[in-house]
Amino acid sequence: MVTITEKVRFYETDLMGVAHHSNHIRWFECGRCAYFEAAGVDLFKLMDEGIVFPIKSVSCNYLVPIRFADVIRIETRLIKLSRAQVVFSYRLIRDYDDTVLAEGTTQNVFTHQASGKIARLSDSDFRRFQSMYEEDKKAAGNGGMSVG
């Protein structure tokens, strides 16, 4: 698991003083990028090799409103891994009282930028993810995680 923190900015809120729902997806992306970095998988190197990683699906369960100036922890876990895709789970947690504010998932599929066809991770990048995936699996007690 990779955990980062963010402080909710005023512009991220709506007229009700609540973080706009679209920001949750952005915070998921922040967590996902931090996960790639922690795994040692260089996003710019992948793009230089012509490999991109578009989102195939995203889900978010909004549990408790997030408000201006809240400090949130973004917990990111890899829950499914293959050479062609990664699925992450996320939890947004209010830092001062550990309240779970939202939970969600994203599925990224690796593709060749030029053709849009499925790409496969190199052995070295796959091993980097696999190492962290195994740590996540142990920490979660194998809660439905899979590798392919």
Side-chain angles (χ1 to χ4, degrees):
M1 178 177 68
V2 172
T3 302
I4 61 172
T5 59
E6 289 280 326
K7 186 172 184 178
V8 178
R9 297 157 192 88
F10 183 75
Y11 72 83
E12 293 170 320
T13 63
D14 59 20
L15 292 174
M16 298 176 285
V18 173
H20 190 270
H21 66 276
S22 64
N23 289 299
H24 295 60
I25 307 307
R26 186 184 62 78
W27 292 321
F28 290 174
E29 180 177 21
C30 293
R32 187 171 55 254
C33 289
Y35 199 100
F36 271 72
E37 183 179 346
V41 177
D42 187 331
L43 295 174
F44 290 113
K45 181 177 171 273
L46 284 176
M47 290 187 292
D48 287 346
E49 294 169 358
I51 297 175
V52 293
F53 31 91
I55 296 283
K56 183 176 179 194
S57 65
V58 63
S59 69
C60 184
N61 292 318
Y62 302 90
L63 304 171
V64 176
I66 301 174
R67 301 192 181 279
F68 169 64
D70 278 349
V71 174
I72 59 171
R73 293 193 315 268
I74 305 162
E75 293 182 349
T76 305
R77 284 186 174 86
L78 184 57
I79 60 170
K80 186 174 182 183
L81 171 66
S82 75
R83 291 185 184 276
Q85 72 171 336
V86 286
V87 178
F88 290 99
S89 71
Y90 309 89
R91 290 188 341 142
L92 304 180
I93 301 166
R94 190 168 44 229
D95 200 47
Y96 79 86
D97 66 358
D98 294 327
T99 298
V100 178
L101 306 166
E103 298 176 319
T105 62
T106 59
Q107 177 186 21
N108 287 71
V109 179
F110 297 102
T111 61
H112 294 283
Q113 187 171 15
S115 67
K117 294 186 180 196
I118 295 295
R120 305 258 183 300
L121 286 174
S122 67
D123 288 343
S124 62
D125 284 340
F126 182 74
R127 279 193 305 271
R128 287 181 179 104
F129 274 130
Q130 193 169 28
S131 175
M132 288 192 61
Y133 170 80
E134 292 300 327
E135 290 177 28
D136 285 348
K137 192 165 64 170
K138 284 179 193 172
N142 195 21
M145 297 180 177
S146 63
V147 65

